Amino acid sequence: MHAFTEGISIYMQNIRNFCIIAHIDHGKSTLADRLLEFTKTISSRDMQAQVLDDMDLEREKGITIKSHAIQIDYEWKGQKYVLNLIDTPGHVDFSYEVSRALAACEGALLLVDASQGIQAQTISNLYLALENDLEIIPVINKIDMDGAMIPEVTDQIVDLIGCKAEDIILASGKSGIGIEEILAAIIDRIPAPKGDPNAPLQAVIFDSVFNSFRGIIAYFRVFNGTIRKNDKIKFIHTDADYTADEVGIMKLTLTPKQEVSVGNVGYIITGIKNAKDVKVGDTITTIANPTTDVVRGFQDVKPMVFAGIFPVETDDFEDLRDCMEKLQLNDASLTFEPETSQALGFGFRCGFLGMLHMEIIQERLEREFNQTVITTVPNVSFRAYKTRDKNKMIVVNNPSEMPEPSSIDRIEEPFIRAQIITLPDYIGNIMSLCLGKRGLLINQHYLTPTRVELIFEMPLTEIVFDFYDKLKSCTRGYASFDYNPLDYRESDIAKMDILLNGDNVDALSALIHRSRAQDFGRKLCSKLKDLLPKQQFVIAIQAAIGAKIIARETISAMRKDVTAKCYGGDISRKRKLLEKQKEGKKRMRQIGSVDVPQEAFLAVLKLE
């Protein structure tokens, strides 16, 4: 037994678990490709760009949406090492994926683009890694590009982390420079995992995916003990027992093994079919020798943006529920609950981490599950307090949940701390953009003579729609943006309804700051005028706050030329026919209903 334990501890000394963190588009996936190619983990025949990004969507947009784990075998100084790499997303909307990847690692490669320098997401991902006590290996990537500013970026990293300049590795994911040095640094600097191979099994699920043939595949990291094939296991959080039908490690494909031991990252298949039975952050243990210690899970996800997702055909509601559950399994940051709408029928109220996240979920529903859905106007969650009971708080995630204006004492909206890093030339443009969005400038700080950091406190409502796009256009793409939630503050929020011929279309209602309501209402009405098809009757489009109409557009009726057959003759004959038509139109208006096309719901998102 002693020799066996010793063998495992030597084996553990040669395991390294690490991830790659960086701002979006700093070359994480390309560097991962080179590491896999250099260590011959993947044959040149299977090699392609962004090899770990297995979604078509990721390739098309050139971004990583999911974290991907893969095991690399590498021989260094005559010893064999096992390196578990987790490639993480860079976009702020997927920071929850990053936090889960970090929980399964002991170290991180911090990647900085030599031509762009440190950006907002670099800093926030670094802080996430430091909170998890990870060993940081700084790497300057893309050093062979024409615009590479190696000395300046080196100084920025030294200031940020407090490391020595010689600790920073110079590399290029594209041409393969510095790959050997990175592998050596991973083995040298990142500590081996700790854990007791003889202790009761304690493994944490950090991701899961649904496979239509095999059920749910859960990815885990073993902190103590060993998990073997055919073990009777238990998920502590859901208190359910299963048999480990298959355990193994992640190469480019899933590779079955007899056991996955302490310190390693692997997958388990238990034949679970129901998505609710697997929770990310849950602890796996054995029934025979259960652990009393539950591994501290990841922070609870805090949705920032809420929107309704409805099936186009009401009959597809159950199908959509099934698809949402499977999608949630693969994307734990998606939250949803059923809701009904007068205009759209049954659907779901979903919580997203941001607008890109919402767009990706909608795309994935259509591509992976063939679900055509209607998405309502996104909004954030507010807090309302009634006049009678001023301490009782009502959380409002949806305009239809807003109490009557006369009964409200005050409404609070969420504020965020926005961090923008840019070139000094664009400070004026950013100031006018943020102050126009009701932002408060808190701090302005020069990181280097050519990079300035601006900190604003802003209402989340203002950045939900098009803030990111406007920021990019007013700085020609030279600004990076990151935010984190602060608190709720009192604000003058009103509920704006859209009425079609006096009927409220609840899916187009929005909660908006009163100072913005008139302008927003006017734009929305004129957009709807272009999008709604003409009917046989006049359609009045109105925006209203309470009983007050703040904007109006009219779509005139389609008219048949009833006087065409009257040539010449008395005008009274023509007038009689026109009056008759007018009566018919009036009657039709009372019974006619207006169909709102899908584009109208999407138009709200694209208002300038």
Side-chain angles (χ1 to χ4, degrees), residues 142-176:
K142 306 188 185 180
I143 58 164
D144 52 353
M145 280 180 69
D146 294 343
M149 310 173 293
I150 298 169
E152 293 93 325
V153 177
T154 303
D155 294 343
Q156 287 177 28
I157 295 176
V158 170
D159 285 351
L160 181 67
I161 308 179
C163 62
K164 298 192 182 93
E166 53 268 26
D167 291 345
I168 300 170
I169 299 170
L170 302 182
S172 163
K174 202 162 197 177
S175 49

Side-chain angles (χ1 to χ4, degrees), residues 295-316:
V295 181
R296 189 175 54 83
F298 318 113
Q299 77 251 37
D300 278 342
V301 57
K302 295 187 187 72
M304 297 295 230
V305 174
F306 294 88
I309 286 187
F310 293 85
V312 175
E313 299 290 331
T314 321
D315 301 349
D316 297 341

Side-chain angles (χ1 to χ4, degrees), residues 333-451:
S333 50
L334 169 69
T335 56
F336 64 89
E337 56 190 41
E339 76 162 353
T340 52
S341 150
Q342 296 157 356
L344 299 171
F346 291 105
F348 295 97
R349 183 97 203 133
C350 304
F352 308 98
L353 297 182
M355 291 297 279
L356 177 70
H357 187 211
M358 176 178 139
E359 189 187 318
I360 295 292
I361 291 291
Q362 195 178 344
E363 284 259 2
R364 287 184 70 184
L365 277 172
E366 291 187 3
R367 288 179 183 215
E368 294 171 31
F369 301 101
N370 295 326
Q371 290 288 324
T372 317
V373 292
I374 294 174
T375 312
T376 64
V377 187
N379 59 295
V380 302
S381 76
F382 297 89
R383 291 175 176 175
Y385 295 87
K386 289 198 164 185
T387 32
R388 284 185 185 166
D389 185 356
K390 294 189 180 178
N391 296 325
K392 191 185 174 197
M393 180 185 78
I394 300 167
V395 178
V396 181
N397 286 336
N398 186 346
S400 62
E401 293 168 6
M402 182 66 97
E404 282 299 309
S406 54
S407 67
I408 296 174
D409 176 53
R410 66 186 192 280
I411 297 173
E412 293 177 347
E413 67 174 331
F415 267 67
I416 55 148
R417 180 178 180 274
Q419 175 195 32
I420 297 169
I421 296 177
T422 185
L423 305 179
D425 312 6
Y426 303 115
I427 292 176
N429 295 359
I430 291 174
M431 291 271 201
S432 57
L433 173 67
C434 293
L435 297 175
K437 296 269 188 192
R438 299 191 285 134
L440 299 167
L441 179 65
I442 302 299
N443 193 4
Q444 180 177 334
H445 163 63
Y446 277 83
L447 299 169
T448 68
T450 56
R451 293 189 92 64

Side-chain angles (χ1 to χ4, degrees), residues 18-19 49 52 97 147 180 294 323 451 483 487 520 529 537 591:
F18 71 101
C19 58
L52 291 180
E97 285 283 332
E180 207 163 344
V294 176
C323 298
R451 293 189 92 64
Y483 64 86
D487 51 8
F520 185 74
K529 183 180 179 181
F537 49 89
I591 56 162

Side-chain angles (χ1 to χ4, degrees), residues 462-522:
E462 298 290 344
I463 69 155
V464 156
F465 281 121
D466 53 0
F467 178 79
Y468 197 62
D469 296 341
K470 283 190 172 161
L471 178 70
K472 285 289 182 201
S473 56
C474 78
T475 59
R476 297 187 187 165
Y478 282 104
S480 65
F481 170 68
D482 186 43
Y483 64 86
N484 50 324
L486 274 178
D487 51 8
Y488 280 76
R489 300 180 189 176
E490 193 173 333
S491 189
D492 188 9
I493 299 292
K495 178 186 174 191
M496 188 186 78
D497 292 313
I498 295 291
L499 309 173
L500 295 180
N501 282 350
D503 293 335
N504 184 359
V505 183
D506 59 353
L508 289 173
S509 298
L511 296 168
I512 191 164
H513 195 263
R514 205 176 291 271
S515 64
R516 288 285 171 83
Q518 195 147 6
D519 184 41
F520 185 74
R522 205 171 286 140

Side-chain angles (χ1 to χ4, degrees), residues 24 61 128 332 383:
I24 190 168
K61 291 185 180 282
L128 271 175
R383 291 175 176 175

